[in-house]
Amino acid sequence: MIKSKYNWNLNNPTEYITDDIVKSLKLSPIIKKILESKHIVYEESIQQTLNGVEIDHDTSLLSDIDKTVERINQAIDKNERILVYGDYDADGVTSTTILVHTLQKLGAQVGWYIPNRFTEGYGPNEMAFQNAYDEGVSLIITVDNGIQGHNEIKMVQDLGVDVIVTDHHEIGRTLPEAYAIVHPMHPEFDYPFKYLCGAGVAYKLAQTLLDNVPNYFKAYAAIGTIADLVSLTDENRSIVQNGLRVMNESCPIAIKALLNQASFNDEISEETIGFIIGPRLNAVGRLEDASLAAELLMSESPEEAEFLAEQVEHFNQERKDIVASITEEALAMAEDYVKQGHQFLLLAKEDWHEGVLGIVASKIVETYSLPTLILNIDYEQNHAKGSARSIEQVSMFEILSAHQDLISKFGGHHMAAGMTMDIDNIDELRTGLNDWMARLSETTSLEPSKNVDVLLDESDITIKNIRDIQKLRPFGTDFTSPLFEIRDIAIKSLKAIGKEQNHLKMTLGESNLVSLFWQNGAYASQLEIGQPVNLIGNLQINEWNGNQTPQFMVQDIAMDTLQILDYRSKSKNTDFLNNDETTAFMIQSKAQKLNENEFYYGETVPDHFDKMVLRDLPMTLDELKLTLQQTQISQVYIVFQHKASIYFEGMPSKELFKKCYKALINKKEMNLATEGMMLCEFLNIKANILKFMLKVFLELGFINEDDGIITIATQPSKQDIESSQMYQSRLSRIEVEKLLLYDDFTHLNQWIKSHLGDNY
């Protein structure tokens, strides 16, 4: 039995696509099921999903848009100095680029500024605003930030500088006192779609200001949308579809240079943005000043773009190394807190690079499925700064807002946040966050879950169906790549792959479906060929040497039945279970217990143990039967360590016992040391068989032994050889070895299952 890491929630559609729509749109059965699972059942919404129908909401519905346009035009007419104040992530630099280029096309006197993550932090910065005022700026326009900059905005507004906030992050209890606020979630306006990213808001503002928006703006808005993980539905879906089309038809020189450095020359998809473009644009701001990324996006010559892209690639490689180092430390720290029962992981340490803590937090969430806040402690500045990532059940914005008195500054949304706080408040915040989680867990299940779109038959997994699924792209937040479940599919082959054997590759079912399970190579030692497994994952097409085959990318695995795993071979070992607190080791009663998870055969194993290793060979089968009857675990590992085997020596016959005894009578007295080998030769047996027979005679009182001299007892009682306990122990040992060491696994497997408790 293998317990899944997630609860699998198979979507049960409440509405279905009609047969008429299926016929008119020529929907395949698998597409119909996927759309129904995502509650897309009406013709218009299906058309929008499949055919990329344009969704472009009226910009006049955005908050303060008219006031914003009027003030920008006034600044241009009066040749006022305008500052675009951006942010240091991919969304921030793309939105900065869009708005700066928009204003330049309008003839504005415009500059731009991106705060340094480390010296200034996220959002409006009082010193930067003061410098802008000192340099004669009279209009500041924020992009992808500002909605939480109350004090800084009021300060510069009081100096006579107007501030227009364009943002998309969560709005707090009050709005800043800005000249205008362009925000899709503004409480006093009713924009039809609330989930634009910062670049999306900048793009909508550009649409209002320009008669003809340049195509590359669409590409940059798409990058911001994908990289910032906002909802890929409604207008965002159109933004990404249009942006991908632009990038594939006429890729902006900056993006082309970035992809050249990454040695990427395939079709650009949402995955290209999510895994190649976005991380590289983010890497600069994570390690140094994000201005380099903005300069790359604003570059107009291929030579300059290639030069800047090369520098960006350098930062990206450095970022990977730093992330790996911090993640290793953070995982060890997280493990300790999880053992203590923490449900919110607040991890803090000195000398952790602040720029990558969001990535590290995401990796901790992936591992433990708990909301996580990672902080770097800076004793010189007497503060801690970092990033948080959440799970679906917990709003990071809400939980941090509830502890705002312990936090100097923070901003974010449901799934992520950034913050600064006093070092002295860390322990109190950790306690408060865990208390909050404890209260939440009383009414809300915190178990990690995956929403499964469709239950597949093996026959559904075809190249044609996978190509149909690709028509639903792009996939992203709120419109994820379809997650499929396959039940009871037999393993045909399996092995751990990769340099460190940390990935699992299997072939499954009658079709020999290839499946890959990244970072789960350990399952190669827990699964066996022929076993039926349940899987959830995504479908892909694998192309190799011109051939295309289906491939299943596993996200989780489960097995409903008890697993009995054969580890009797010397080439296999159970070392990987040594530090597993849910594994019990069964040992012989003669062995010394060295750990709390070691039990003698016949003892009751507590319920919290999930796996059992039959490490030592039991003395009797009855001992093993008693253990199995009390077993309530999911995996049994058969090892049966032993120093020597007697099975192939067998049991001496009664005739041999008689012949040996008669020889001893004839000798009357025998020196075992000098005459033992002669007796062995006479009986045609090995020395250890003779020793065993003599021990039986001695036990039954047939002979006497004194310092190696054997004599016949004068008046031995008449007893059957089989009444000897020594004789019966050997019989039992032979029976144990025959079944447990030398029988084929199929029969042993059946024998073990036949003696398990009633729960099986």
Side-chain angles (χ1 to χ4, degrees):
M1 184 181 297
I2 293 178
K3 188 180 184 303
S4 61
K5 295 178 182 177
Y6 301 92
N7 290 328
W8 302 355
N9 301 324
L10 182 61
N11 291 338
N12 293 311
T14 54
E15 294 181 283
Y16 297 90
I17 301 171
T18 65
D19 291 341
D20 290 341
I21 294 176
V22 170
K23 288 179 182 178
S24 66
L25 298 181
K26 298 179 181 179
L27 301 179
S28 64
I30 197 165
I31 291 296
K32 177 178 182 293
K33 290 178 182 179
I34 293 169
L35 291 172
E36 288 171 345
S37 76
K38 296 182 180 298
H39 311 294
I40 301 171
V41 296
Y42 299 111
E43 187 163 4
E44 182 181 358
S45 57
I46 294 172
Q47 290 273 24
Q48 289 174 351
T49 302
L50 288 174
N51 302 321
V53 175
E54 185 80 12
I55 302 176
D56 188 11
H57 296 306
D58 186 352
T59 56
S60 68
L61 299 174
L62 276 167
S63 62
D64 289 347
I65 193 70
D66 292 336
K67 190 176 181 183
T68 295
V69 170
E70 182 181 355
R71 181 66 185 88
I72 290 173
N73 286 329
Q74 176 187 324
I76 294 170
D77 291 342
K78 293 184 177 181
N79 202 30
E80 295 180 52
R81 297 191 67 181
I82 303 173
L83 178 70
V84 175
Y85 187 93
D87 187 30
Y88 40 68
D89 65 2
D91 190 19
V93 295
T94 50
S95 54
T96 299
T97 302
I98 289 170
L99 192 54
V100 168
H101 279 192
T102 297
L103 295 173
Q104 286 174 342
K105 290 179 183 300
L106 292 171
Q109 187 183 168
V110 58
W112 54 274
Y113 185 85
I114 294 177
N116 185 289
R117 181 193 294 262
F118 311 105
T119 59
E120 297 170 281
Y122 170 78
N125 176 271
E126 188 170 316
M127 183 66 70
F129 278 12
Q130 178 68 51
N131 288 340
Y133 167 74
D134 292 342
E135 292 173 6
V137 170
S138 56
L139 175 61
I140 296 174
I141 308 174
T142 70
V143 288
D144 193 34
N145 74 95
I147 201 65
Q148 294 291 333
H150 294 63
N151 295 335
E152 296 83 358
I153 290 172
K154 185 178 188 309
M155 179 276 295
V156 79
Q157 286 266 155
D158 288 345
L159 292 174
V161 177
D162 288 332
V163 178
I164 296 172
V165 172
T166 77
D167 200 356
H168 72 110
H169 291 96
E170 293 276 0
I171 296 175
R173 297 167 188 158
T174 60
L175 293 167
E177 297 176 17
Y179 178 87
I181 298 174
V182 182
H183 197 300
M185 288 188 282
H186 196 295
E188 297 173 16
F189 292 79
D190 192 22
Y191 190 70
F193 183 65
K194 307 296 183 185
Y195 307 110
L196 295 170
C197 69
V201 176
Y203 178 72
K204 297 303 290 185
L205 179 55
Q207 281 184 313
T208 311
L209 290 167
L210 298 174
D211 293 331
N212 294 298
V213 175
N215 269 344
Y216 70 90
F217 281 17
K218 298 175 182 177
Y220 288 173
I223 291 170
T225 300
I226 293 290
D228 219 49
L229 301 177
V230 291
S231 178
L232 199 60
T233 57
D234 200 89
E235 191 167 20
N236 280 345
R237 188 169 179 79
S238 282
I239 288 172
V240 170
Q241 287 170 331
N242 289 330
L244 289 174
R245 186 161 47 248
V246 168
M247 280 188 271
N248 282 296
E249 291 175 356
S250 179
C251 191
I253 60 171
I255 304 306
K256 187 181 293 184
L258 207 58
L259 295 176
N260 286 342
Q261 290 295 321
S263 300
F264 181 88
N265 54 12
D266 294 329
E267 181 180 358
I268 299 171
S269 69
E270 71 275 19
E271 291 182 347
T272 314
I273 295 174
F275 295 106
I276 297 178
I277 299 172
R280 282 163 171 78
L281 293 176
N282 280 324
V284 184
R286 291 187 184 283
L287 301 187
E288 292 288 344
D289 190 330
S291 297
L292 172 63
E295 288 173 12
L296 169 62
L297 295 180
M298 293 184 197
S299 60
E300 297 182 355
S301 76
E303 293 77 17
E304 181 187 16
E306 287 292 343
F307 173 74
L308 295 172
E310 186 177 353
Q311 296 179 59
V312 169
E313 184 65 26
H314 169 77
F315 282 115
N316 186 56
Q317 293 301 323
E318 185 180 354
R319 184 265 306 171
K320 288 181 180 179
D321 295 338
I322 294 171
V323 167
S325 174
I326 298 176
T327 299
E328 185 177 355
E329 295 179 356
L331 281 170
M333 195 180 295
E335 184 179 359
D336 290 338
Y337 282 124
V338 170
K339 288 178 180 177
Q340 295 172 36
H342 287 223
Q343 293 176 296
F344 192 109
L345 300 176
L346 193 165
L347 313 176
K349 188 175 181 293
E350 190 178 8
D351 294 329
W352 275 354
H353 200 297
E354 294 168 13
V356 301
L357 297 186
I359 301 174
V360 177
S362 294
K363 291 181 181 293
I364 302 299
V365 173
E366 288 173 13
T367 303
Y368 291 105
S369 298
L370 294 172
T372 301
L373 171 60
I374 312 269
L375 295 171
N376 172 59
I377 297 175
D378 186 335
Y379 287 108
E380 286 188 11
Q381 300 293 326
N382 193 34
H383 68 213
K385 289 174 65 177
S387 296
R389 297 293 183 267
S390 197
I391 58 178
E392 287 293 338
Q393 302 96 316
V394 180
S395 167
M396 188 59 70
F397 185 81
E398 182 181 349
I399 192 172
L400 292 180
S401 294
H403 299 85
Q404 204 161 5
D405 56 322
L406 298 172
I407 301 170
S408 305
K409 185 178 182 182
F410 87 97
H413 46 78
H414 184 96
M415 295 300 291
M419 59 169 291
T420 303
M421 66 179 298
D422 290 340
I423 298 172
D424 293 342
N425 291 342
I426 290 176
D427 289 339
E428 187 177 352
L429 179 62
R430 182 183 289 115
T431 300
L433 294 173
N434 274 283
D435 289 345
W436 196 94
M437 291 294 294
R439 292 191 296 272
L440 178 68
S441 66
E442 294 174 0
T443 57
T444 304
S445 172
L446 298 178
E447 287 192 15
S449 63
K450 294 275 189 182
N451 291 322
V452 180
D453 291 283
V454 176
L455 177 64
L456 287 179
D457 292 326
E458 190 179 348
S459 59
D460 293 326
I461 304 173
T462 65
I463 293 294
K464 179 184 180 303
N465 277 343
I466 299 175
R467 283 186 182 140
D468 273 352
I469 294 166
Q470 301 305 313
K471 295 175 184 176
L472 296 171
R473 297 178 76 163
F475 299 122
T477 305
D478 293 337
F479 192 79
T480 54
S481 177
L483 190 61
F484 300 105
E485 180 177 352
I486 309 174
R487 294 178 185 168
D488 295 326
I489 189 166
I491 299 173
K492 291 296 185 69
S493 69
L494 76 160
K495 62 179 178 180
I497 61 171
K499 185 178 179 180
E500 298 178 4
Q501 303 286 285
N502 53 343
H503 310 303
L504 179 69
K505 182 177 182 179
M506 297 182 288
T507 57
L508 307 165
E510 296 301 319
S511 62
N512 288 318
L513 173 67
V514 174
S515 69
L516 296 172
F517 198 2
W518 301 121
Q519 304 302 328
N520 280 276
Y523 278 115
S525 60
Q526 302 178 42
L527 298 166
E528 293 203 337
I529 293 171
Q531 290 180 325
V533 291
N534 303 327
L535 305 166
I536 60 170
N538 308 109
L539 286 171
Q540 288 184 354
I541 295 176
N542 181 44
E543 296 193 27
W544 178 253
N545 287 338
N547 296 318
Q548 292 187 330
T549 55
Q551 187 166 266
F552 195 77
M553 308 304 293
V554 181
Q555 290 195 24
D556 201 4
I557 190 169
M559 183 178 292
D560 298 330
T561 57
L562 170 73
Q563 285 181 281
I564 300 175
L565 304 165
D566 191 357
Y567 272 63
R568 292 178 293 178
S569 168
K570 290 183 180 179
S571 64
K572 295 182 177 181
N573 65 70
T574 55
D575 291 348
F576 63 94
L577 294 169
N578 288 343
N579 297 319
D580 186 343
E581 296 180 353
T582 67
T583 299
F585 290 82
M586 304 310 300
I587 64 174
Q588 273 190 2
S589 55
K590 293 180 179 180
Q592 182 182 357
K593 290 185 179 182
L594 301 176
N595 298 294
E596 293 181 356
N597 61 343
E598 293 181 345
F599 301 89
Y600 295 128
Y601 283 103
E603 286 187 320
T604 300
V605 177
D607 291 342
H608 68 270
F609 287 98
D610 188 51
K611 306 177 187 72
M612 176 183 287
V613 177
L614 305 179
R615 193 190 74 185
D616 295 350
L617 194 67
M619 300 297 291
T620 68
L621 291 180
D622 286 340
E623 279 184 348
L624 178 56
K625 288 176 186 177
L626 185 57
T627 292
L628 294 174
Q629 287 167 3
Q630 299 172 141
T631 293
Q632 295 186 30
I633 41 81
S634 63
Q635 293 178 333
V636 176
Y637 291 81
I638 303 171
V639 179
F640 296 139
Q641 292 179 158
H642 60 286
K643 292 182 179 178
S645 172
I646 64 170
Y647 173 71
F648 293 106
E649 295 175 354
M651 176 67 79
S653 66
K654 287 186 177 181
E655 287 71 22
L656 191 59
F657 273 102
K658 289 178 182 178
K659 187 176 180 180
C660 181
Y661 187 64
K662 189 177 288 186
L664 292 173
I665 291 175
N666 291 335
K667 282 289 293 180
K668 293 185 180 178
E669 183 178 290
M670 187 184 76
N671 186 321
L672 194 58
T674 60
E675 300 175 277
M677 288 309 298
M678 293 173 58
L679 182 56
C680 285
E681 291 175 6
F682 172 72
L683 298 173
N684 194 26
I685 60 175
K686 293 182 178 179
N688 53 349
I689 294 293
L690 177 60
K691 289 179 182 178
F692 165 69
M693 294 171 69
L694 294 176
K695 286 179 181 179
V696 171
F697 289 153
L698 191 62
E699 178 194 345
L700 295 176
F702 292 171
I703 62 172
N704 298 312
E705 189 269 334
D706 184 18
D707 198 23
I709 305 299
I710 305 294
T711 58
I712 299 296
T714 53
Q715 289 183 326
S717 58
K718 192 172 183 180
Q719 298 177 73
D720 194 295
I721 288 294
E722 293 180 354
S723 67
S724 162
Q725 186 176 349
M726 186 76 64
Y727 185 95
Q728 292 300 321
S729 293
R730 186 177 180 90
L731 271 181
S732 178
R733 171 72 181 211
I734 290 172
E735 182 186 32
V736 165
E737 290 187 11
K738 178 183 178 182
L739 175 66
L740 303 185
L741 295 183
Y742 303 113
D743 210 337
D744 68 87
F745 177 66
T746 301
H747 181 254
L748 178 56
N749 188 6
Q750 292 172 346
W751 186 90
I752 289 175
K753 287 181 177 178
S754 70
H755 291 92
L756 288 168
D758 295 336
N759 289 332
Y760 294 98

